[in-house]
Amino acid sequence: MLINKQNILVISVHPDDETLGCGGTILKHKSVGDNLFWLILTNINDEKIWGKKRIEKRQKEIEKVASLYEFNKTIKLDFDTTRLDQVPLWELTEKVSVVIKNIKPEVIYLHNRSDIHSDHRVSFDAIMSAAKTFNNPFIKNIYMYETISETEFAPALQVNAFVPNYFVDISKFIDKKIEIMNIFSSEIKKHPFPRSEKNIKALATFRGAQCGCEFAESFMMLKGIWK
């Protein structure tokens, strides 16, 4: 049976969001031959803040991660990290819209709207505005992923709850996901630090138990169209 390849757009506010939130799912899409595109909204650009060596190291990390996932293309918008709240919403929306129209993704993965990081909250509105169905009828599915140390640290209010309704079995890909996450060496530390190998595997184990498999990633489906 011939299966049409899908265009998958994975959006990261910061590099590593994609691996924490849906790294196993990305690998699963690649295993069935889908076309993968990675959109990174922010970057570390200011040498006075980050230092030249740190900036160069991060760019090499991004290149290596992109290679391991075998993304068809990586797009960087290069907004300053931690400063998206200073960017006009129309500007961010417009730049994301251009990417969406060029790629024409059937599926979009993006971060949780209520994450504690201000960059995540600000960019969510821009992305959803850019992904309106009447402008982009090719978009069939939009999934919101959870990002360790961002999603669970949102204020404990009902409106901020991450309640998954869609799960992906990543049992075959969990080790590769952790291997890729370790490339972001400054972002992963030993337990009980939230972004630890132990915690990544624990969350995948818990989500797997929710859906009847060994390891899983969970999502909130924001749009699902079957045509």
Side-chain angles (χ1 to χ4, degrees):
M1 182 176 67
L2 180 64
I3 300 176
N4 292 329
K5 294 182 179 180
Q6 296 188 100
N7 286 345
I8 312 297
L9 178 59
V10 180
I11 301 178
S12 302
V13 182
H14 313 101
D16 77 7
D17 292 339
E18 76 299 324
T19 301
L20 290 167
C22 57
T25 302
I26 295 170
L27 293 166
K28 192 162 189 171
H29 275 295
K30 178 53 69 172
S31 74
V32 298
D34 286 334
N35 300 311
L36 291 168
F37 300 88
W38 187 16
L39 172 60
I40 307 170
L41 302 186
T42 70
N43 212 336
I44 54 174
N45 302 306
D46 193 333
E47 288 189 14
K48 292 181 181 179
I49 297 175
W50 302 100
K52 185 177 180 180
K53 288 184 178 179
R54 179 73 183 89
I55 292 173
E56 290 175 350
K57 182 175 182 291
R58 174 46 61 92
Q59 305 321 307
K60 289 178 181 177
E61 289 172 349
I62 292 170
E63 289 174 8
K64 188 171 182 180
V65 168
S67 175
L68 288 173
Y69 280 128
E70 299 182 68
F71 283 111
N72 295 63
K73 187 175 183 180
T74 299
I75 306 102
K76 301 176 187 177
L77 296 189
D78 281 333
F79 289 107
D80 288 331
T81 189
T82 73
R83 298 178 184 175
L84 278 184
D85 58 349
Q86 299 175 30
V87 177
L89 188 62
W90 67 264
E91 181 180 350
L92 182 55
T93 301
E94 187 175 87
K95 291 195 174 184
V96 173
S97 294
V98 170
V99 174
I100 288 175
K101 290 185 183 303
N102 286 339
I103 293 172
K104 294 182 170 52
E106 285 89 355
V107 181
I108 294 177
Y109 292 97
L110 76 160
H111 55 282
N112 174 42
R113 69 165 189 161
S114 300
D115 286 351
I116 193 64
H117 202 302
S118 61
D119 282 353
H120 287 219
R121 297 195 306 274
V122 169
S123 59
F124 179 85
D125 289 340
I127 295 165
M128 291 304 295
S129 179
K132 290 176 181 177
T133 300
F134 60 81
N135 287 327
N136 308 289
F138 43 81
I139 300 174
K140 302 299 186 291
N141 300 94
I142 300 178
Y143 301 104
M144 198 164 66
Y145 57 74
E146 56 186 333
T147 308
I148 289 175
S149 84
E150 302 293 356
T151 304
E152 77 273 24
F153 283 107
L157 303 171
Q158 187 174 3
V159 70
N160 291 334
F162 183 86
V163 185
N165 56 7
Y166 184 83
F167 298 82
V168 176
D169 183 347
I170 64 162
S171 301
K172 293 181 180 179
F173 307 102
I174 184 66
D175 291 336
K176 188 72 171 180
K177 167 177 173 156
I178 291 173
E179 176 190 335
I180 293 173
M181 186 59 206
N182 273 303
I183 293 170
F184 297 111
S185 56
S186 64
E187 303 297 333
I188 190 165
K189 299 177 183 178
K190 291 184 178 180
H191 184 75
F193 188 72
R195 296 181 176 186
S196 66
E197 289 188 21
K198 186 174 183 179
N199 200 29
I200 291 169
K201 209 160 191 176
L203 179 59
T205 301
F206 175 65
R207 294 309 188 193
Q210 285 185 286
C211 64
C213 63
E214 188 173 6
F215 298 105
E217 288 171 340
S218 69
F219 304 87
M220 291 180 67
M221 179 187 280
L222 303 182
K223 178 186 288 186
I225 302 172
W226 184 8
K227 287 188 177 181

